[in-house]
Amino acid sequence: MTDFSILDLVPIREGGSLEEAFRAVVDLARTAEKTGCTRFWVAEHHAMAGIAGGATSVVLAHIGNATSTIRIGSGGIMLPNHTPFQIAEQFGTLAALFPGRVDLGLGRAPGAGPELQRALRKDLHRAAEMFPQDVVELRAFLDGDPSLPIQATPGQGADVELWMLGSSLFGAQLAARLGLPYAFASHFAPDHLDAALELYRRNFEPSAALDRPHVMAAMNLFCAETEAEAERIASSQLQAFVRLRTGSPGKLPPPIDGYRDTLPANARAMLDHIGQASAVGTPNQVRDAIQRFVDRTGADEIMLAGATFDPEARTRSLELAMDALKG
């Protein structure tokens, strides 16, 4: 049976506040737990006016305190922004606070311009080149490898489930070589999905953590009682994506009826391309779309993403979809 989980960016909507965003993420996590989702992940982004998940481990502690059984984790931590030792300490702390519930998804893309590089005091492009070695070092810190010159406390021996994230063949190859579960970011970068999953499964080498390949693939989900309402609530994220791709990102905008019809052909084509990994519509429609995606990918888990301007619309979307999927 396929597992379902939630990815959230902790969006800040136009006219909203950080405090509101952090209340909303707790409400969504509680709904995810109540409806039987396996995990709740938060993605690391920095210096973006519409995203409040930059201090990812702190946000995860907030979510962990508000829930009791659902796994919490990063989807992901961009390791080039940090040192392996710091992340071992942070997620070792989370593992002690929330035993048996903590995931650590790791990504390579620094996603940063020169201003952020200066703020982080890092050469992020060089750090990205060191990503495979840093992943190995981080795993050694969490395992408490006695050959290390220093031990992480917290961190040493922590019960943290490591994941490799990716949207290209690089992450798939590294996940296979290290014997890690692999999550593909198909909700915004579907181009290499099939090739990456095939490569990962073909080259997988069993590890102490995992004896066979384990795949997660991400989808956008917008579910409502009618198809028109699902399209309407989805339009906030579509607007945000178009603005990001055209160099004018900001806070999450209100929905617009018929938004796609207002766009030029090239923008509609871009959204249609991303929509390969989307389920938008009534409960029956999204159930069928998700099932087709599972049939295509053979994924063991599906990670459901998708921000809505009204936080209650997203919790309702999740409730409707999970009822249909579980039913």
Side-chain angles (χ1 to χ4, degrees):
M1 181 178 292
T2 309
D3 288 332
F4 298 97
S5 298
I6 297 297
L7 173 66
D8 194 54
L9 305 188
V10 197
I12 307 168
R13 62 180 183 172
E14 291 181 2
S17 65
L18 282 169
E19 293 81 3
E20 179 187 71
F22 292 133
R23 288 195 299 270
V25 74
V26 161
D27 290 341
L28 183 61
R30 287 172 171 162
T31 300
E33 184 172 77
K34 180 182 68 176
T35 56
C37 292
T38 302
R39 313 172 195 275
F40 192 98
W41 282 6
V42 173
E44 175 190 351
H45 292 78
H46 296 288
M48 300 187 72
I51 298 177
T56 310
S57 59
V58 180
V59 177
L60 291 174
H62 174 57
I63 295 166
N65 276 319
T67 55
S68 58
T69 58
I70 195 168
R71 296 188 68 90
I72 57 173
S74 61
I77 287 290
M78 299 299 107
L79 194 53
N81 295 341
H82 311 275
T83 67
F85 185 80
Q86 290 170 314
I87 296 303
E89 286 185 322
Q90 291 175 23
F91 279 77
T93 300
L94 289 170
L97 292 170
F98 311 106
R101 296 177 58 195
V102 176
D103 302 330
L104 173 51
L106 298 170
R108 178 181 64 146
E115 297 84 4
L116 183 56
Q117 292 198 62
R118 284 193 291 270
L120 293 174
R121 305 293 195 272
K122 298 248 328 185
D123 180 345
L124 295 180
H125 296 291
R126 176 167 173 74
E129 294 175 356
M130 296 297 296
F131 179 70
Q133 296 94 316
D134 283 350
V135 173
V136 171
E137 182 179 353
L138 173 55
R139 184 160 68 174
F141 278 127
L142 293 172
D143 289 343
D145 186 337
S147 67
L148 292 172
I150 188 173
Q151 296 295 328
T153 304
Q156 179 182 359
D159 180 13
V160 175
E161 188 172 293
L162 278 181
W163 283 74
M164 183 61 58
L165 277 58
S167 58
S168 69
L169 302 185
F170 177 88
Q173 183 64 53
L174 184 58
R177 192 168 80 228
L178 297 179
L180 294 175
Y182 180 54
F184 193 90
S186 35
H187 62 304
F188 72 87
D191 286 350
H192 302 291
L193 170 63
D194 301 301
L197 298 190
E198 193 278 331
L199 184 152
Y200 168 68
R201 290 174 172 132
R202 183 180 71 243
N203 294 339
F204 181 83
E205 300 176 19
S207 67
L210 195 64
D211 63 355
R212 67 185 69 181
H214 188 92
V215 165
M216 177 192 291
M219 296 186 73
N220 294 301
L221 170 70
F222 299 96
C223 187
E225 282 81 0
T226 67
E227 185 176 0
E229 176 61 12
E231 293 282 358
R232 191 185 75 85
I233 64 173
S235 69
S236 293
Q237 177 161 298
L238 298 184
Q239 292 176 70
F241 192 83
V242 169
R243 292 178 183 182
L244 178 65
R245 286 293 176 94
T246 55
S248 55
K251 294 184 177 181
L252 189 69
I256 297 175
D257 289 322
Y259 173 65
R260 286 176 181 270
D261 297 334
T262 70
L263 295 172
N266 61 333
R268 289 199 302 271
M270 178 180 64
L271 294 179
D272 289 342
H273 179 68
I274 297 166
Q276 295 177 55
S278 294
V280 183
T282 66
N284 287 342
Q285 288 173 321
V286 301
R287 180 197 61 211
D288 293 345
I290 291 171
Q291 186 57 58
R292 289 192 298 270
F293 190 69
V294 171
D295 292 342
R296 169 186 168 182
T297 61
D300 303 286
E301 304 187 34
I302 297 294
M303 181 65 75
L304 301 170
T308 60
F309 183 76
D310 178 0
E312 291 184 6
R314 188 170 185 200
T315 58
R316 181 60 176 157
S317 171
L318 178 58
E319 289 170 340
L320 290 171
M322 290 300 290
D323 280 347
L325 290 165
K326 299 289 185 179

